[in-house]
Amino acid sequence: MIPNGGQWDERIEYKVDLQMGEMLVEKDGFTFFLNDAVQTMRHTHGEGEADHETPDSFQAQVIRSKFQGSAWKGKVEKLDSSTHYSNYILGNDPSKWANFLYSYSRISMVDYYEGIDLVLDGRQGQLKYSLELNAGVDPAQIVMNYDGYDELFLDEEGNLHITNRFGEIIE
């Protein structure tokens, strides 16, 4: 998870690169920008020359999952920092430049709801999130709304399936 050091819109806290796009971790939820741009670009190599064909169009879908009533004040515990860092020099405005940004494979957004931390963990090669409740905290305060999906359903094990034109997001 790459932190926002001012290089992106202020609503974005972290960005996660996905095979089919990106996931933005925001103050009040997640936004998935899924697309097939990488798959539609073709690179042909022959006789020492590279031919890069850029597609005229690509398919995309935006899915939002928002936590309603979150009380998060911005406190984050960052765990498992990368050994490398990224620099972002975007455009001509130095205020939008960020450097020495280390990514993290695990973060905890403390008191996302009162007494509940939102923990994002990408250590196993797949990003998972969990809501960790302190003793005696009412889980009923957790309310999520989804938008932009094709279909939403629960399977027999209680996993939430968010179908989209590229497949599924399973929570």
Side-chain angles (χ1 to χ4, degrees):
M1 289 164 271
I2 304 166
N4 186 357
Q7 75 274 26
W8 301 312
D9 184 274
E10 65 186 25
R11 292 172 290 186
I12 301 168
E13 296 294 320
Y14 293 87
K15 183 178 86 127
V16 179
D17 291 323
L18 304 173
Q19 184 177 4
M20 296 290 293
E22 60 191 20
M23 174 184 162
L24 305 175
V25 178
E26 300 168 328
K27 292 172 179 40
D28 62 349
F30 312 127
T31 297
F32 297 89
F33 175 64
L34 306 174
N35 65 79
D36 65 356
V38 173
Q39 283 72 20
T40 58
M41 295 182 76
R42 292 189 327 199
H43 299 282
T44 342
H45 302 280
E47 298 185 28
E49 293 185 25
D51 176 31
H52 303 283
E53 186 176 321
T54 305
D56 292 332
S57 64
F58 66 93
Q59 303 242 352
Q61 186 166 1
V62 175
I63 300 169
R64 290 186 177 92
S65 59
K66 298 296 178 187
F67 292 91
Q68 301 302 304
S70 169
W72 189 58
K73 304 275 190 277
K75 183 177 179 186
V76 177
E77 293 176 359
K78 302 171 188 172
L79 307 162
D80 299 326
S81 173
S82 63
T83 56
H84 64 281
Y85 59 84
S86 298
N87 297 313
Y88 292 86
I89 301 173
L90 305 174
N92 295 326
D93 181 1
S95 71
K96 297 293 181 192
W97 299 354
N99 54 10
F100 301 108
L101 294 178
Y102 290 86
S103 59
Y104 299 90
S105 58
R106 189 167 191 263
I107 62 168
S108 177
M109 299 171 86
V110 179
D111 280 330
Y112 201 72
Y113 288 96
E114 189 173 332
I116 303 173
D117 297 344
L118 173 62
V119 178
L120 296 116
D121 189 342
R123 291 179 294 179
Q124 301 299 320
Q126 265 190 313
L127 184 65
K128 294 183 178 226
Y129 76 89
S130 58
L131 293 155
E132 296 181 355
L133 285 71
N134 293 329
V137 171
D138 182 8
Q141 63 182 310
I142 302 168
V143 177
M144 292 184 73
N145 291 328
Y146 292 86
D147 185 31
Y149 57 87
D150 292 343
E151 184 180 2
L152 197 65
F153 67 91
L154 290 172
D155 65 19
E156 301 80 34
E157 289 87 38
N159 297 310
L160 179 65
H161 293 254
I162 307 165
T163 63
N164 60 76
R165 68 176 42 184
F166 304 108
E168 287 185 326
I169 300 167
I170 301 173
E171 297 184 356

